[in-house]
Amino acid sequence: MGCVTAGATDSIVLVSGDEELLVTRAVAHAIETARAADPGADVREYEGGAVSPGEIAEMTSPSLFGGRRVLVLRNGQDAKKDLTAALLAYAKQPDPDVTLIVTHPGGAKGKALADGLKSAGATVVQAMKLKGNRERVAFVRDEFRRLGGRCTEDAAEALLASVGNDMRELAAACSQLVADTDGRIGADTVARYYRGRAEVSGFTVADAAMVGDVPGALEALRWALHIGVDPVPIADAIADGVRTVARVASAGRGNAYQLASSLGMPAWKIERAQRQGRGWSPEGLVDAMRAAAECNAEVKGGSDDRGYALERAIFAVAAARHGTSSGGPGAGQAATQGARRGGGSR
């Protein structure tokens, strides 16, 4: 997550990362800090691949008229060798009346500039894309705190399931929830505001399938596909649902809060998996994992009918739960065909 803590005396700020929202916030924060010291600060922006060393030298040279200047160089990785050399030479003795802000995605391209600025003592603001669900949950909770609110972990999970992983949309959702409530956000609050979207998420399909509610899972699936939900996250949710129940079941009985640390997942998710795990046998979970894996392969491998692959997985998971799966690759197909002949859709 981005940490935008550039202070008023920072002459050089390196924004390192490729998450657009965090980069935008880091640059804006550095500009605001400079303007707090001098409201009339002259702010100019350049592209790393389109500016000459002469232009940079002109902007960073001492001014006869005084006043603070802010130079924003975006996409520093595109800077040519002569510009990189000029910037690194300047960084050794920066002008205290100039704030130089350089953005760099953090990859190998243009690494000499980023490393040189770090060595020169630049303030580094991390703005990397978030990796994994834990970082995204932490971002949501931090965002609510930044806005003056509070958010439970299950509420953050629910918001991610409802809104998705786009950080701009998540930030906007957090802002809206804080504005419309007292700032204390629970899973029930998220459900109330995002019910229409949450009810057609892949997790809803998976939750229904895991408890053997085939009609409910099919209805949620067909509605999700109808409004344009991509099949891939639905397949991932089914696979995640089976894996989670299997992991929690293998851990044995116990208090969810005690198991949370060893399993590396939130207590509420463990409690849900414990409820869903009732009625499952170890053999059934193995069959369900096989069905989920086959579904993922078809959905992500360009199957001609990805919706049909998801329907087949729902029937196969339900059959595995009831101990009627043959375990073969066609176990769900016959059931799906039978349901279609019998008008199984709601």
Side-chain angles (χ1 to χ4, degrees):
M1 273 168 286
C3 180
V4 285
T5 56
T9 59
D10 294 327
S11 296
I12 303 176
V13 179
L14 174 64
V15 181
S16 178
D18 54 354
E19 175 49 63
E20 184 181 352
L21 173 65
L22 298 183
V23 171
T24 299
R25 284 184 175 179
V27 172
H29 180 83
I31 293 174
E32 288 170 6
T33 301
R35 281 181 167 158
D38 180 1
D42 180 14
V43 180
R44 300 186 189 181
E45 296 198 16
Y46 300 92
E47 281 291 325
V51 63
S52 69
E55 289 176 287
I56 297 297
E58 180 183 354
M59 186 64 178
T60 55
S61 297
S63 171
L64 295 176
F65 304 102
R68 177 164 290 276
R69 287 156 288 156
V70 180
L71 173 61
V72 181
L73 184 70
R74 296 188 182 274
N75 297 309
Q77 76 279 6
D78 294 332
K80 295 180 175 59
K81 288 184 178 179
D82 55 350
L83 178 58
T84 296
L87 288 168
L88 294 182
Y90 168 78
K92 292 178 181 178
Q93 286 188 309
D95 187 328
D97 290 328
V98 175
T99 298
L100 172 63
I101 307 166
V102 179
T103 72
H104 189 284
K109 184 179 180 182
K111 191 171 184 293
L113 175 59
D115 289 347
L117 293 177
K118 292 176 185 176
S119 298
T123 297
V124 180
V125 181
Q126 295 295 337
M128 301 299 293
K129 286 188 182 298
L130 305 187
K131 297 178 180 178
N133 191 62
R134 285 189 177 185
E135 288 192 5
R136 286 188 282 270
V137 168
F139 167 78
V140 170
R141 300 191 74 183
D142 287 344
E143 188 70 7
F144 277 114
R145 279 192 287 268
R146 188 181 73 84
L147 295 166
R150 288 183 297 168
C151 169
T152 61
E153 188 166 349
D154 58 341
E157 292 270 10
L159 192 63
L160 284 164
S162 301
V163 176
N165 295 331
D166 183 273
M167 292 189 66
R168 287 188 181 278
E169 290 192 13
L170 284 170
C174 293
S175 178
Q176 189 65 52
L177 284 169
V178 170
D180 290 349
T181 67
D182 62 0
R184 291 174 291 187
I185 312 300
D188 56 335
T189 314
V190 176
R192 189 165 64 250
Y193 276 80
Y194 293 92
R195 186 177 303 280
R197 297 177 70 171
E199 285 179 349
V200 294
S201 73
F203 295 104
T204 304
V205 177
D207 288 347
M210 289 304 296
V211 297
D213 181 8
V214 173
L218 289 176
E219 183 176 8
L221 170 65
R222 289 163 187 168
W223 177 245
L225 296 176
H226 174 72
I227 65 172
V229 177
D230 191 276
V232 171
I234 300 176
D236 285 340
I238 293 173
D240 179 70
V242 176
R243 284 195 303 268
T244 300
V245 169
R247 284 186 62 198
V248 172
S250 67
R253 296 182 178 180
N255 183 283
Y257 292 92
Q258 294 173 337
L259 294 173
S261 177
S262 60
L263 292 178
M265 63 178 72
W268 68 265
K269 193 172 184 179
I270 294 174
E271 290 176 339
R272 185 178 65 184
Q274 287 173 332
R275 291 193 299 270
Q276 293 177 342
R278 294 168 190 153
W280 279 96
S281 68
E283 296 77 15
L285 287 169
V286 170
D287 287 341
M289 282 190 279
R290 183 184 297 114
E294 290 172 359
C295 176
N296 258 274
E298 290 186 34
V299 169
K300 297 176 182 179
S303 170
D304 291 337
D305 191 342
R306 298 193 294 173
Y308 179 53
L310 288 165
E311 285 190 10
R312 191 163 62 243
I314 289 171
F315 280 101
V317 168
R321 183 177 186 274
H322 293 103
T324 57
S325 173
S326 66
Q333 185 171 359
T336 308
Q337 291 171 337
R340 285 182 168 177
R341 286 195 298 268
S345 65
R346 294 176 60 182

